Amino acid sequence: MKMVGSESPNDSSPQLAKKYGITKPISLAGPAEADRHRNMELDKFLIDSGLYESKEEAERRKEVLDRIDQIVKGWVKQLTRQRGYTDQMVEDANAVIFTFGSYRLGVHGPGADIDTLCVGPSYVNRDEDFFVVLHNILAEMEEVTELQPVPDAHVPVMKFKFLGISIDLLYASISLLVVPEDLDISDGSVLYNVDEQTVRSLNGCRVADQILKLVPNVEHFRMTLRCLKFWAKMRGVYSNVTGFLGGVNWALLVARVCQLYPNAIPSMLVSRFFRVYTQWRWPNPVMLCSIEENELGFSVWHPRKNPRDRLHHMPIITPAYPCMNSSYNVSGSTLRVMVEQFHHGHRICEDIELNKAQWSALFEPYLFFEAYKNYLQVDVIASDADDMLAWKGWVESRFRQLTLKIERDTDGMLQCHPCPNEYVDMSKPCSHCAFFMGLQRKEGVRGQEGQQFDIRGTVDEFRQEINMYMFWKPGMDIFVSHVRRKQLPAFVFPDGYKRSRVSRHISQQAEKTCVDVVGCQSAFKERRPKRKNDPAMMDAEPSNPNKRVSIRLGCLATGDVDINSEVRSCGKQLGSEEEGVKQNHVHNGETVVDDSVSRAEQTFVSNKLPEVKNEVLAVEKPSPMELLASYELPNAVTGEAYQIGLNGDKVGVAFM
Ligand code: ATP
Ligand code: MG
C-alpha cells in the first residue's frame, strides 16, 4: 500500500541550483533570526490550536488503511476466481490502495477524512464490481458505518466510516491484467485506454504526488499549508462547493509561493503568501509547471482553445496531466470576498512583522453576521436525519448557483457573499438547517432613486432547480427569505449569545397540509447611503401599496385542500423592527410563543382576509412548493412580515 510518509523528495538545505516552477524565484533569501523566532511562535500556535492529530490517531489511521488494503485485495481475488481465470492469475490478482488529499500531503488534522483510491485490474469494473460487489462486502462488515455510494458524482466515490474514521474511496480500473504492488501512479502509462471518469479518479493521487515533487521543501510547504488552511477556515473562505477554495486549491496556491521563495521558512511564507495574492492579477493562472499536452488527447485547461476556460475567474491549475483548473467553482463574488480576505491577512502579517500583533490576530474568526445589513436565508427542511443529510447536500451543491443567478439578474449590482457554513436549529436538529448569503449593493455604483433589486424571479428559478431533485421525498422543502441583520435567527450565533429581542413563532404541522412559507420575499429597494463610508447599504423601504402575498403550502398527502378552511386570516404583524417582533419565515414544528408574538397575534387576528384565490385545490401529488393562494394586502410594505393564520393553532408568515 502507498502511504504518506517521509518520502519527501526534497531535503531542507537551501535551494540554489534547482529551479522550481515556471518562472524565476522572487527571492532566494533565507530566514533572519526574527523570522526563526516568529516561526517557532507560529509552530506553537498551530499545535496549541489542535491542528495536529495524536500519535494514537495516526496509528489508527494506518491500521484502518491496512484493513482496507486487505479488503480490496480479497475482493479482486474473489472476482478473479469467479471469472474463471487460471490459478496463477488468481494468485497474482491484486488491487492497490493509494492515498491522496490532505492525508497524502501530510496536512490533515484530527478527525479529517482519508481520501483513498483503489486501483484494480482491467477486468474489475466500477459500476458492478466496485459499486455492487465491494459495496456489499463493506455493508456486511461491523467496522463499516454510514456507507454511502455516490456512483453518479463527477468523481464517483464510496463514502463510509471504518472504525469511526471517514473514508472517501475512489476506484480506477487500469489497462493491466495484474496491478503491481509498486505501481507508479505518476507514470503517464496508467492513463492508457481508460475513460474520463477513471482519469478523474486517478487525478487526485497524481496531483498530490506532483505537488510534493514540485515544492522546494516539503516540511516548509506542509506547515505553511496547515496554517493557510486554518486561516481560510476561520475567515470563511474554505469551501469548494460554495465557490471558495478547497484543500487542493489552497495546496496549489501555497506550493506556488514556496516555489517563488525557495529558501523561506513558514513564518516568511505565510506573509509572502498574502503579499503575492493581494497583488495577483486574476484571471492569470497559478501554475506549478507548464501545461503539457500529449497524444492521449485528454482535454487540458487552455483558455485560447476552449472558450469556457476563458470564463474562469481564478484559475489554479493542477500539475499532473491532464492539467485542469481546480477552482472552476469560483465566481466573481467569491473571488472578490477572497481578495478582501487576502488584504486583511496581508495587513495583519505586516503588523506581526513589526511586532505590533501576534499570530492569533491572523486567525480571528470572520464575523459574517456582522458584516452585512441584508442577508438571504435558505431554510432547508426534511422529515428525518437521513432525508436531511441528502436534501441539504443537494441544496448546498446548488447554493452557488443562486449567487451566480442573482449577480446575473442584477447585472452585478447586487453582490452576494455566500457563507460556507450551515446553521442548524438545535431545537430541531434533524429537520431544519439554514444557509445564508450576505447581500450588498456593488460598491461605488449609485443606484437610481427608488431602484429596487427584485430577485423574486431569480429565487423562483433557483427553487425550481432545487425541486428537480431526483430523490425528493415528502417533507423535503426549502424556503428562501430576505432577512435584515437584526432579524437573523438566534441559532446562527455562537453558544451563549442570547438576543434580547427575539421573536419566534413557528407553525404546527397540519395532518395534511403543513404551513410553509410563503411567497417570495425579496424586493430590495436601494436608498442613499446613511454614512459616508458605507455606500453599499441597502434597505427595504415602504413601497407601493396593495402588494400581493403568495402563499405556498407544502402538501404532504394527496386529495383536496380547501384553502378557505385552512387559511383564516392574513394581516400585518404588530410591531416595528425595533420591537423585534418581525418574523419572516415559518417551519413545521413546535410553536414557541413569547410576549412579542402574542402581541403580534392579537393584531393580526383582527385583520380581515382581503382576497382568496384558488379556493379548493386538487392536490394530485405531494408537493413541497404548491402555490395555493395569493392575497392583496392594503398598504403592504416591502421588507415587512405578514402573518397567515391557518386553522388550528397554525401560523404562517409571509414576507414581502
Ligand atoms: P481536507 O483537509 O479539506 O479534506 P483535501 O485536500 O483532502 O482537504 P478534499 O476536499 O478532501 O480536500 O479533496 C480530496 C482531493 O480530491 C483533493 O486533494 C484533490 O486531489 C481532489 N479534488 C477535490 N476537489 C478537486 C477539484 N476541484 N479539482 C481537482 N481535484 C480535486
Ligand atoms: Mg480530504
Side-chain angles (χ1 to χ4, degrees):
M1 185 187 19
K2 309 279 170 152
M3 301 264 298
V4 67
S6 56
E7 72 281 64
S8 314
N10 317 303
D11 63 26
S12 56
S13 53
Q15 302 296 324
L16 294 172
K18 189 169 173 201
K19 184 184 141 199
Y20 290 92
I22 52 170
T23 61
K24 281 189 186 158
I26 294 175
S27 164
L28 289 173
E33 198 42 45
D35 296 311
R36 289 188 202 284
H37 181 70
R38 276 193 287 275
N39 202 56
M40 272 163 44
E41 286 180 338
L42 179 59
D43 194 29
K44 182 172 181 318
F45 180 86
L46 298 182
I47 294 170
D48 292 349
S49 302
L51 297 192
Y52 294 86
E53 70 182 354
S54 65
K55 273 206 177 104
E56 294 73 38
E57 190 175 345
E59 280 306 312
R60 213 150 54 88
R61 282 180 193 277
K62 283 191 184 142
E63 280 163 29
V64 163
L65 282 168
D66 273 340
R67 292 287 309 280
I68 295 172
D69 193 50
Q70 287 157 17
I71 293 165
V72 297
K73 283 181 164 55
W75 161 66
V76 165
K77 271 202 197 306
Q78 176 193 321
L79 287 168
T80 311
R81 199 174 298 115
Q82 282 169 0
R83 305 231 156 122
Y85 285 100
T86 60
D87 288 349
Q88 187 59 47
M89 275 288 283
V90 173
E91 198 180 317
D92 293 345
N94 197 22
V96 184
I97 290 284
F98 292 84
T99 59
F100 62 106
S102 58
Y103 183 79
R104 168 81 176 111
L105 292 177
V107 295
H108 62 286
D113 65 352
I114 311 183
D115 301 291
T116 53
L117 164 73
C118 171
V119 177
S122 54
Y123 56 89
V124 174
N125 67 42
R126 183 185 301 107
D127 288 349
E128 278 294 312
D129 299 331
F130 182 71
F131 278 114
V132 179
V133 182
L134 182 62
H135 172 272
N136 292 344
I137 292 173
L138 292 170
E140 292 289 304
M141 300 184 67
E142 265 183 6
E143 302 91 325
V144 175
T145 52
E146 298 176 35
L147 181 59
Q148 193 194 354
V150 196
D152 300 324
H154 188 60
V155 183
V157 58
M158 200 127 69
K159 291 171 170 286
F160 54 93
K161 284 192 173 169
F162 197 100
L163 294 173
I165 292 179
S166 299
I167 307 285
D168 275 7
L169 180 60
L170 314 185
Y171 179 69
S173 157
I174 57 170
S175 55
L176 291 177
L177 280 174
V178 177
V179 179
E181 192 59 25
D182 60 352
L183 177 75
D184 179 5
I185 201 142
S186 291
D187 195 306
S189 63
V190 295
L191 301 178
Y192 290 148
N193 286 326
V194 298
D195 61 15
E196 294 259 355
Q197 274 190 329
T198 305
V199 173
R200 286 199 290 268
S201 303
L202 289 163
N203 191 261
C205 289
R206 290 166 51 79
V207 167
D209 270 9
Q210 282 304 309
I211 294 175
L212 293 171
K213 281 182 191 154
L214 289 168
V215 292
N217 182 308
V218 169
E219 283 313 319
H220 293 171
F221 162 73
R222 284 182 173 148
M223 182 168 150
T224 312
L225 178 54
R226 243 179 226 283
C227 177
L228 264 305
K229 282 176 74 154
F230 184 45
W231 172 84
K233 285 174 188 167
M234 298 311 281
R235 302 302 297 172
V237 288
Y238 190 97
S239 164
N240 229 317
V241 66
T242 323
F244 296 105
L245 303 181
V248 70
N249 316 110
W250 291 108
L252 293 168
L253 289 186
V254 169
R256 183 70 187 116
V257 174
C258 292
Q259 291 182 331
L260 292 169
Y261 298 90
N263 298 317
I265 58 173
S267 58
M268 301 163 73
L269 290 166
V270 171
S271 88
R272 302 306 179 271
F273 177 96
F274 292 116
R275 197 185 291 170
V276 168
Y277 293 116
T278 45
Q279 290 175 30
W280 200 270
R281 292 213 300 274
W282 304 105
N284 284 340
V286 171
M287 303 194 287
L288 300 186
C289 57
S290 48
I291 296 175
E292 171 206 345
E293 288 190 78
N294 73 20
E295 71 287 353
L296 289 175
F298 290 110
S299 130
V300 298
W301 188 77
H302 199 318
R304 254 179 256 144
K305 252 196 209 161
N306 311 327
R308 283 180 63 161
D309 293 348
R310 271 176 239 152
L311 303 174
H312 294 167
H313 292 270
M314 193 184 194
I316 303 172
I317 311 304
T318 54
Y321 178 79
C323 297
M324 311 169 192
N325 175 19
S326 61
S327 46
Y328 51 84
N329 271 357
V330 173
S331 67
S333 39
T334 50
L335 173 61
R336 187 189 59 246
V337 170
M338 285 188 278
V339 170
E340 273 167 22
Q341 289 303 324
F342 291 154
H343 280 280
H344 179 264
H346 184 47
R347 283 192 297 274
I348 304 236
C349 282
E350 281 182 336
D351 283 352
I352 293 172
E353 289 187 349
L354 295 169
N355 289 326
K356 286 195 205 156
Q358 303 285 313
W359 283 114
S360 55
L362 187 61
F363 305 92
E364 285 289 325
Y366 175 69
L367 300 175
F368 178 76
F369 292 111
E370 314 256 311
Y372 293 89
K373 290 192 78 180
N374 290 279
Y375 295 85
L376 269 198
Q377 176 172 345
V378 178
D379 288 292
V380 183
I381 313 291
S383 305
D384 60 36
D386 284 346
D387 282 4
M388 179 51 107
L389 197 66
W391 180 232
K392 83 174 173 207
W394 166 250
V395 175
E396 187 183 24
S397 74
R398 309 308 303 164
F399 189 47
R400 205 174 61 81
Q401 297 300 326
L402 183 56
T403 61
L404 298 180
K405 286 178 198 301
I406 291 174
E407 297 205 353
R408 177 199 66 193
D409 292 353
T410 61
D411 294 326
M413 294 299 139
L414 184 58
Q415 296 181 327
C416 311
H417 177 169
C419 174
N421 306 331
E422 68 185 50
Y423 291 85
V424 178
D425 182 350
M426 289 315 283
S427 65
K428 13 187 177 38
C430 298
S431 60
H432 178 202
C433 81
F435 296 100
F436 291 85
M437 186 186 291
L439 297 169
Q440 66 177 12
R441 185 154 56 83
K442 186 176 180 180
E443 239 173 275
V445 176
R446 288 213 176 274
Q448 292 161 11
E449 196 61 40
Q451 182 194 348
Q452 286 191 337
F453 292 114
D454 184 346
I455 55 170
R456 280 173 289 195
T458 317
V459 168
D460 273 344
E461 188 185 319
F462 171 69
R463 280 198 187 116
Q464 274 166 22
E465 257 184 42
I466 293 287
N467 286 333
M468 282 159 65
Y469 184 48
M470 301 242 292
F471 308 99
W472 183 84
K473 285 195 200 157
M476 291 178 174
D477 215 341
I478 65 155
F479 309 115
V480 184
S481 39
H482 164 211
V483 283
R484 306 249 212 124
R485 186 166 60 214
K486 287 177 190 162
Q487 302 164 328
L488 286 163
F491 63 78
V492 304
F493 295 102
D495 284 347
Y497 182 94
K498 198 99 184 121
R499 289 185 303 162
S500 52
R501 296 177 305 214
V502 167
S503 99
R504 314 278 316 151
H505 45 195
I506 296 172
S507 69
Q508 296 285 349
Q509 183 172 331
E511 266 170 30
K512 185 169 179 175
T513 58
C514 57
V515 183
D516 282 334
V517 182
V518 194
C520 194
Q521 308 89 20
S522 315
F524 300 115
K525 185 174 168 113
E526 295 187 38
R527 90 179 165 203
R528 298 197 141 221
K530 278 184 191 156
R531 275 177 283 132
K532 217 176 169 187
N533 294 332
D534 193 2
M537 280 188 311
M538 180 186 47
D539 258 311
E541 274 197 344
S543 57
N544 53 331
N546 298 336
K547 281 263 175 189
R548 185 162 287 278
V549 178
S550 304
I551 312 284
R552 286 167 200 273
L553 297 182
C555 298
L556 299 181
T558 55
D560 288 346
V561 176
D562 182 346
I563 194 77
N564 260 346
S565 69
E566 286 289 342
V567 180
R568 66 185 154 84
S569 61
C570 177
K572 187 177 179 310
Q573 278 178 251
L574 175 80
S576 63
E577 189 180 329
E578 283 64 42
E579 285 168 298
V581 296
K582 279 200 212 168
Q583 175 64 37
N584 52 354
H585 57 114
V586 149
H587 310 296
N588 312 328
E590 65 190 297
T591 308
V592 181
V593 178
D594 66 16
D595 283 344
S596 54
V597 175
S598 307
R599 281 187 279 119
E601 283 271 355
Q602 284 160 21
T603 305
F604 102 80
V605 168
S606 66
N607 278 307
K608 287 278 173 289
L609 195 61
E611 183 191 346
V612 176
K613 293 263 162 73
N614 298 332
E615 288 174 8
V616 179
L617 284 167
V619 179
E620 282 164 7
K621 63 179 174 112
S623 156
M625 297 300 286
E626 246 354 287
L627 177 65
L628 294 186
S630 65
Y631 300 88
E632 202 107 285
L633 284 186
N635 303 317
V637 174
T638 300
E640 293 211 334
Y642 294 87
Q643 279 191 328
I644 314 300
L646 289 120
N647 272 343
D649 291 326
K650 293 162 281 175
V651 178
V653 177
F655 192 64
M656 297 295 292

